[in-house]
Amino acid sequence: MDRNRLTTGRRTLLLGAGALGLSGCGTVGLPFGGGGSAPTIRGLDRLPLSQTVLNRFVTDRRIPGVTLGVRTPDGQKVFLQAGTLDFNVFNRVGPDSLFRIFSMTKLITGAAAALLIEDGRLTLDTPVADIVPEFAGLKVATNPERGLAGRAARNTMTIRHLLTHTSGLSYSIAGDGPIPRAYREAGLTPGMPAGDSNQVRDLDELVRKLGELPLIAEPGSAYHYSLSLDVLGLVIQRVSGVAFPDFVQRRILNPVGMRDTVWRLRDGDAERLMQVYAFGRDGRNPPSVMPGLSAEDYSVPVTLYSGGGGLISSTRDYLDFLSMLLSDGRAGRVRVMKPETARMIHTDILPADITAEGGGYGFGGWLARPGHRRQGEFGWSGAAGTQGWIDPEKGFAATLMIQAMPYRSVDILTELRPALDADLGITRAG
């Protein structure tokens, strides 16, 4: 789903080879919220075809390691894993290993916005400029393929537009046109460690600089994957009166029990972070360590909290989050949100005459519309190949974690999806 196709300009030679460390057993966790209360069973006993797919990708050395978490239709949580955290180490990957989830952060930010709607402090049609006055004078590029010249926007940007990427904003990674180039030159690159770049300092500076650049399209007129969920982070911060990361921590991470979902690596956690590799487009070329995304890079203090791509998480944590949505807002014994709020998050809020990646859109994630063979499925992915989704009609949730760039350079999902359906006894039309 995710169009983040980040590439690297330089490559480090891959040295040596690590043990494959194949493993298929489930584990039991004790998170401090209610998210981990569902029974956990041996994955190899329940999902053998899925385990075979994971094993094959590791034994073929297409990835060093992979982990999968599934909340089954009967309420059990199953974890599969194969391989190691790095081609060059013996540390096995598991449900509590850490991954850069990049744009899977968007679903959590969308859920945070939904909580403010539940609180009566936002609506889908609230004008963004009412909260972000820096957007009061937005312009739309008259020819976005040729330059930055613009005219005054005719439509009002709303919260709905931010949630569905129909705001008219763009992304620094959306090609090499004038607007993406202007984003890069202005340091509008949230979701990546700052390093030595010119990246903006915080969300306030982000919206100030965005307000000075033209939109790529009229708000509400078309789907363009963008910084919309990063802007939404500032909306949440200003409406709630609480720093955006603190709001997410108090209202989502703590009650769900997501103790390993963080914006910055904690002391001692670097050894749990999986290495991210750059691969050829076919996934077969010799991979190299992706520069700028090391444990050291993710250990520096954070000032730009990216609601569109800034979180680190684990398979267990993210599955607990998805399970909460699937369970109508309840994480074990903890009520995180009202049932109607949880259902709203995976409802299509995109106008019928606009499509996003061939489907609809909910709160920060893609939705399979009626007629699709996965009708009702809701979720999103990350630039390094992570994936999370719920299927309310079939009654399950799943989280896949790998670290391979560019996006879909290692296409494990094509083989995993039918294997998982078969393991769960699910048949699909088409």
Side-chain angles (χ1 to χ4, degrees):
M1 297 175 192
D2 192 345
R3 296 297 183 185
N4 290 13
R5 299 182 181 276
L6 303 181
T7 56
T8 178
R10 67 182 195 275
R11 293 178 180 266
T12 303
L13 291 177
L14 177 65
L15 303 175
L20 296 178
L22 297 181
S23 156
C25 59
T27 58
V28 179
L30 296 171
F32 56 85
S37 61
T40 308
I41 62 173
R42 279 177 52 85
L44 193 57
D45 295 339
R46 186 67 188 268
L47 306 175
L49 298 176
S50 300
Q51 183 69 62
T52 298
V53 173
L54 304 190
N55 290 352
R56 182 164 60 250
F57 271 74
V58 172
T59 56
D60 289 349
R61 292 188 60 78
R62 297 176 68 180
I63 45 177
V66 55
T67 177
L68 173 71
V70 181
R71 194 268 200 184
T72 64
D74 58 3
Q76 294 177 316
K77 287 183 178 175
V78 183
F79 294 98
L80 309 180
Q81 54 269 333
T84 60
L85 294 172
D86 190 324
F87 279 118
N88 306 305
V89 302
F90 291 88
N91 296 339
R92 290 186 174 186
V93 68
D96 300 308
S97 299
L98 301 177
F99 300 82
R100 308 152 194 81
I101 64 170
F102 291 111
S103 288
M104 281 166 63
T105 305
K106 290 177 169 68
L107 296 190
I108 295 175
T109 302
L115 284 167
L116 286 176
I117 293 175
E118 176 180 296
D119 294 345
R121 306 180 74 175
L122 268 184
T123 73
L124 285 174
D125 298 317
T126 299
V128 175
D130 285 358
I131 304 156
V132 183
E134 294 93 331
F135 280 11
L138 289 173
K139 296 183 181 299
V140 178
T142 52
N143 190 340
E145 300 300 320
R146 299 292 297 273
L148 301 179
R151 55 162 176 79
R154 300 187 182 101
N155 297 346
T156 299
M157 185 191 298
T158 66
I159 300 303
R160 184 191 305 270
H161 299 151
L162 293 179
L163 286 164
T164 59
H165 298 288
T166 55
S167 63
L169 295 169
S170 187
Y171 239 139
S172 64
I173 54 175
D176 200 38
I179 292 178
R181 283 202 306 271
Y183 277 35
R184 294 193 291 271
E185 291 166 3
L188 300 171
T189 57
M192 302 292 287
D196 297 325
S197 74
N198 67 331
Q199 189 179 85
V200 296
R201 297 183 304 275
D202 54 33
L203 293 173
D204 292 289
E205 186 179 11
L206 177 86
V207 300
R208 180 180 62 79
K209 288 195 173 183
L210 279 174
E212 296 169 353
L213 295 172
L215 301 174
I216 199 166
E218 279 286 347
S221 66
Y223 170 86
H224 290 283
Y225 196 54
S226 69
L227 291 179
S228 291
L229 275 292
D230 293 277
V231 173
L232 189 60
L234 183 62
V235 169
I236 292 165
Q237 179 168 292
R238 291 183 176 179
V239 169
S240 69
V242 177
F244 171 57
D246 293 341
F247 185 89
V248 169
Q249 190 72 44
R250 297 175 192 177
R251 298 293 299 272
I252 298 175
L253 305 185
N254 284 354
V256 174
M258 301 170 70
R259 60 167 50 175
D260 285 325
T261 301
V262 295
W263 304 94
R264 174 191 181 190
L265 275 181
R266 298 167 298 204
D267 292 345
D269 276 352
E271 64 183 19
R272 298 167 57 200
L273 182 68
M274 189 166 186
Q275 181 66 266
V276 57
Y277 282 93
F279 290 80
R281 280 290 179 186
D282 61 0
R284 296 286 186 175
N285 292 347
S288 59
V289 172
M290 192 79 179
L293 299 175
S294 68
E296 183 179 1
D297 292 316
Y298 278 89
S299 298
V300 300
V302 176
T303 60
L304 180 60
Y305 290 92
S306 170
L311 284 171
I312 297 166
S313 191
S314 68
T315 307
R316 188 188 306 281
D317 272 14
Y318 208 86
L319 183 63
D320 284 346
F321 169 70
L322 294 176
S323 298
M324 179 273 293
L325 296 181
L326 191 65
S327 300
D328 283 346
R330 184 176 290 279
R333 295 180 297 274
V334 178
R335 169 62 65 190
V336 181
M337 59 183 65
K338 295 178 181 179
E340 54 267 33
T341 302
R343 291 192 289 268
M344 177 177 65
I345 287 170
H346 57 88
T347 298
D348 191 0
I349 60 171
L350 194 64
D353 60 342
I354 298 177
T355 60
E357 313 286 347
Y361 226 79
F363 279 53
W366 183 85
L367 190 78
R369 282 178 163 169
H372 193 282
R373 68 188 305 267
R374 295 184 179 275
Q375 176 177 311
E377 182 178 293
F378 170 76
W380 202 238
S381 54
T386 57
Q387 187 95 21
W389 71 97
I390 64 173
D391 190 330
E393 295 195 9
K394 303 298 184 182
F396 79 95
T399 297
L400 172 74
M401 296 288 197
I402 62 173
Q403 299 281 258
M405 298 178 85
Y407 177 69
R408 295 300 283 271
S409 57
V410 176
D411 185 13
I412 190 171
L413 276 176
T414 297
E415 296 184 38
L416 180 62
R417 290 276 196 150
L420 181 58
D421 281 350
D423 281 333
L424 295 176
I426 292 172
T427 58
R428 299 185 188 273

